[in-house]
Amino acid sequence: MPWEPEEAQRVKERVQRHRDLLAETDEMRITSEYGTDVTMEVEPSTAFDSYGFVDEPGKWDVWGQNMVSNYPSNVDGTIVIAPSDYNVVPFAEYVDSAIECVVEDNYIVEINGEGGDAELMRGHLESYDDPDVWATSHFGWGLNPNGTFYNMALHDRKPDEAGVSASEGRVWEGNMLWSTGPNTHEDRYAPCHYDIAQKNCSVYLDGDPVVEEGEVVVE
């Protein structure tokens, strides 16, 4: 059901407030109980808001999306994709086994894990024989209170079969979304792009929490 104008305006203003938090930040840190601990330098000019509709010329958006992100630099640390986190793109599937991604200076340098998911991700990226597919891209968090991390399991997720883009995986409230590959701000047009949505992460902006263990704590 379409939003009423007043509700749409509230949604827009909330997402824009979170975008402004990003734009005013120097350092972003992301942690999780599963072992994620990664820091990065926020690039304010790349802070992006997606409030789910287009209301001005030149804006790009996706219906209902509700999220913020940026394309940071100096990304270093470890990101652990935990079981039941969501591979939005390219596989549109939940992860069954942990994947540890070691990141140095904006690039994934190791992918570790005992299960098949780590092998699948590593082999898929290696198949492109292109160093840019290993680059980190955007980082942010979801803000759609109507979204849930499990809802993708209830619907056919294959875009070529049902027209479903798994967008809810990008935007449920309190998720941590990060990606690999392309970054138009750096004129990097890699042939492969991952979007990974993770639950129960904490996001800190200059040391202050905006998301704590998957819960948005700043309005």
Side-chain angles (χ1 to χ4, degrees), residues 28-173:
M28 182 175 176
R29 182 186 180 196
I30 302 166
T31 65
S32 80
E33 62 180 308
Y34 306 106
T36 292
D37 195 344
V38 61
T39 59
M40 61 207 72
E41 181 180 339
V42 173
E43 295 292 341
S45 64
T46 71
F48 175 74
D49 57 18
S50 176
Y51 44 81
F53 57 91
V54 172
D55 59 346
E56 58 186 51
K59 179 174 174 56
W60 175 92
D61 217 313
V62 175
W63 172 248
Q65 194 154 257
N66 295 188
M67 59 172 282
V68 295
S69 63
N70 83 113
Y71 291 80
S73 58
N74 298 320
V75 183
D76 287 286
T78 300
I79 303 172
V80 178
I81 307 168
S84 81
D85 285 341
Y86 197 69
N87 185 317
V88 185
V89 174
F91 302 134
E93 294 289 352
Y94 292 94
V95 172
D96 291 321
S97 54
I99 308 169
E100 179 191 70
C101 298
V102 179
V103 182
E104 295 180 0
D105 194 20
N106 306 323
Y107 281 78
I108 299 171
V109 296
E110 292 181 35
I111 295 178
N112 304 309
E114 297 182 358
D117 290 292
E119 181 181 1
L120 176 62
M121 184 176 182
R122 183 171 53 248
H124 181 232
L125 291 175
E126 288 174 345
S127 72
Y128 286 91
D129 194 25
D130 185 331
D132 282 342
V133 303
W134 301 86
T136 56
S137 187
H138 59 75
F139 286 78
W141 60 92
L143 289 165
N144 192 327
N146 296 318
T148 62
F149 86 92
Y150 57 79
N151 200 42
M152 291 79 68
L154 306 177
H155 302 282
D156 192 329
R157 300 183 297 277
K158 301 301 182 184
D160 57 342
E161 296 174 8
V164 176
S165 66
S167 289
E168 189 166 12
R170 298 182 177 95
V171 303
W172 83 76
E173 181 159 304

